[in-house]
Amino acid sequence: MHIAEAILPNPENPAAGLVILGAGWALTAVGTAIGLRRLDHEQIPRVAVFSAAFFVVSLIHFPIGPVSVHLVLNGLMGLLLGWAAFPALLVALLLQAVLFQYGGLTTLGINTLAMAAPAVACHYLFGPLVRGARPRTALAGAAAAGATGMLLAGLIVAAALLAAGEAFVWLSQLSLAVHAVLAVLEAAVTVAAVHFLRLVRPELLRAPLDAPRRLEVSRG
Amino acid sequence: MTSPQPRAAGPKTLARVDPRSRILAAVGFSVIVALCHRPAALGVGLAAGVAAVGLAGLRPGEVLRRLAPLELLMLLLVVVLPWTASGATIAIGPFDVSQHGLALAAAIAVKGNAIMLALLGLLGTMDEIRLGHALLHLRVPDKLAHLLLFTVRYLGVLRDEHCRLTDAMRVRGFRPGPNRHTCQTYGYLVGMLLARGFDRTERIAAAMKCRGFRGRFYLLDHFVFSRIDVPFAAATVGVIAAIVFLEWT
């Protein structure tokens, strides 16, 4: 979930809010620079597919009782993109802020960090498992990535809100609870998506940015 | 490509302003307003936000619809913060609520609305392609700007694919609910979206290559600082100076 504009910095403790926003921007800049350096111009359009997919996935709503939550799938993004998740998520979140007024400009740094840092962690922790030959460990890795991506994101958001001041303790608890529920859903959805990709398009899972073209399957 | 952008109804004064000035103004305004918390400064910020939306020619109904997610969160804050914050309390009807919490919630609501209105007026009505080109002109790393331009291009493709797939699911009687079947179906939907989206976008990339695309966009729109940019820049600087003055003196 996003940290909305205007929550940070909180006048109770403006220094902490400024440090959080600044650190969010600085770390996002570093991550984006690393991600971009590893990409060549040929790969940019492929990263853009995932960026756009991340945006569209957030339109998928999951009803839970009277409310609904939307999917994020930053764990899956990390598995597929590695460090490129930073620029991909930065662009997707910028477009969401500009087109849909979710999040904001000053909080773009911390919001990108909260989504992309767990994605990169998932890449290193579970990437080898998911790309492995054994289906069971691959799906277990996918479940772990889906849950870890969300839980880490929840922890970062909650920590940022906690540091912002005591008035937001309840908000950070609420956000943590939402992320915990989402973690379960994301784990299940990530497992199904990885299962699907392993069967249908294994090369996308193995090396999405260098996968061979399949132009012959064109339709429409 | 269908765009989620709001259609401007009135005179689109802001549309004639150089996109680079609009981006710089939006960034500067967001940062300054986010930093302040005195009521007078926030009031000026809110007025400037309303002015930006007005000058962009957006209808009030459209603006309210766009801000609905923000207002929902602000409503939550206004309802909860007066009870959770500490400090002196005041009585509202039968309840004792924290004065500090009430002030904090009001400040956040005004600040959030001010920034989002300005963002909506300055950037929300800008064509995303222009946004990408303006960012390139502002010396954003070219790979990042290219990523933005390609993402914008593919958004429509993937959204169409998503609509097609969800229509197919609905035709087969799919109803989402909190169960395993929904998780699995959504997982397959995401997988299919990635696989099909990938194929379609590869074809777009191939077609672009056929037409001589060599990995970078050439900047054909050279924005010029025109006559309307002078009052715009003056107004932006004036608003920011007023906010700084009201906040830090």
Side-chain angles (χ1 to χ4, degrees):
Chain A
M1 302 287 104
H2 305 283
I3 299 180
E5 189 79 78
I7 302 263
L8 292 171
N10 169 8
E12 270 180 1
N13 193 352
L18 282 183
V19 168
I20 291 165
L21 290 180
W25 269 112
L27 292 173
T28 295
V30 171
T32 307
I34 294 175
L36 286 178
R37 180 154 335 137
R38 296 185 173 203
L39 292 173
D40 59 36
H41 278 281
E42 284 277 303
Q43 292 171 324
I44 296 281
R46 292 184 165 190
V47 178
V49 177
F50 294 103
S51 229
F54 175 82
F55 193 106
V56 171
V57 161
S58 70
L59 302 176
I60 303 179
H61 283 264
F62 206 109
I64 302 177
V67 296
S68 76
V69 290
H70 72 77
L71 292 175
V72 181
L73 295 182
N74 60 334
L76 182 64
M77 290 280 282
L79 290 176
L80 294 168
L81 289 178
W83 280 97
F86 262 100
L89 289 169
L90 178 63
V91 163
L93 292 178
L94 172 67
L95 285 175
Q96 281 193 339
V98 172
L99 299 180
F100 288 143
Q101 287 74 46
Y102 288 158
L105 281 187
T106 57
T107 52
L108 186 58
I110 182 77
N111 281 331
T112 307
L113 182 74
M115 291 289 151
V120 173
C122 288
H123 172 72
Y124 284 112
L125 291 174
F126 310 114
L129 277 182
V130 170
R131 278 181 266 278
R134 293 169 58 194
R136 269 171 188 267
T137 51
L139 294 186
T148 310
M150 249 318 86
L151 287 178
L152 281 181
L155 282 179
I156 295 176
V157 169
L161 289 173
L162 262 188
E166 60 156 332
F168 293 120
V169 172
W170 64 276
L171 192 59
S172 82
Q173 289 162 346
L174 177 70
S175 139
L176 212 52
V178 171
H179 279 89
V181 173
L182 262 176
V184 177
L185 292 179
E186 297 251 323
V189 174
T190 308
V191 166
V194 166
H195 177 63
F196 181 90
L197 287 177
R198 276 177 71 92
L199 293 178
V200 175
R201 209 52 76 80
E203 73 273 13
L204 256 186
L205 208 52
R206 221 172 291 127
L209 300 182
D210 302 303
R213 297 213 158 77
R214 276 205 190 182
L215 293 179
E216 73 278 11
V217 292
S218 59
R219 183 189 67 85
Chain B
M1 170 181 150
T2 51
S3 170
Q5 276 174 350
R7 289 277 152 67
K12 295 175 248 179
T13 317
L14 270 184
R16 286 187 285 140
V17 174
D18 189 331
R20 293 170 299 175
S21 334
R22 281 153 73 186
I23 293 174
L24 291 179
V27 172
F29 182 81
S30 300
V31 171
I32 291 295
V33 174
L35 291 182
C36 57
H37 46 85
R38 283 199 196 157
L42 291 176
V44 172
L46 188 62
V50 171
V53 171
L55 285 175
L58 289 170
R59 276 191 226 99
E62 173 79 37
V63 173
L64 287 180
R65 200 175 58 75
R66 299 237 134 207
L67 292 185
L70 177 79
E71 303 305 349
L72 218 60
L73 177 72
M74 294 302 162
L75 196 67
L76 182 71
L77 288 181
V78 169
V79 169
V80 177
L81 272 184
W83 270 270
T84 56
S86 53
T89 58
I90 51 169
I92 294 183
F95 305 109
D96 279 341
V97 298
S98 157
Q99 205 172 352
H100 170 64
L102 208 58
L104 184 62
I108 289 176
V110 173
K111 198 196 281 191
N113 276 300
I115 296 180
M116 278 307 167
L117 284 171
L119 216 57
L120 185 60
L122 290 168
L123 300 184
T125 48
M126 195 191 293
D127 180 6
E128 304 95 335
I129 306 289
R130 278 172 88 76
L131 177 67
H133 280 214
L135 285 175
L136 269 175
H137 277 293
L138 288 171
R139 304 290 154 103
V140 163
D142 65 337
K143 280 184 193 168
L144 195 61
H146 282 141
L147 182 57
L148 179 84
L149 288 168
F150 272 108
T151 302
V152 168
R153 172 68 183 84
Y154 293 162
L155 260 182
V157 177
L158 283 179
R159 190 143 11 116
D160 289 350
E161 198 64 59
H162 173 242
C163 287
R164 199 173 302 134
L165 288 170
T166 43
D167 280 351
M169 281 156 66
R170 213 173 303 144
V171 167
R172 286 164 179 76
F174 172 74
R175 273 229 205 116
N179 51 39
R180 208 176 134 194
H181 175 66
T182 305
C183 286
Q184 192 172 20
T185 311
Y186 277 162
Y188 289 172
L189 170 66
V190 171
M192 197 56 158
L193 203 60
L194 287 176
R196 287 231 189 122
F198 210 76
D199 291 341
R200 276 170 187 273
T201 50
E202 281 300 305
R203 284 204 295 286
I204 293 171
M208 287 174 75
K209 265 193 191 147
C210 287
R211 287 159 180 79
F213 182 67
R214 286 199 291 179
R216 50 186 73 222
F217 290 108
Y218 299 95
L219 292 177
L220 298 178
D221 303 354
H222 288 285
F223 306 119
V224 280
F225 201 78
S226 61
R227 202 185 300 160
I228 193 165
D229 289 293
V230 178
F232 176 75
T236 308
V237 171
V239 165
I240 289 179
I243 292 173
V244 169
F245 177 78
L246 288 172
E247 179 69 27
W248 284 283
T249 51

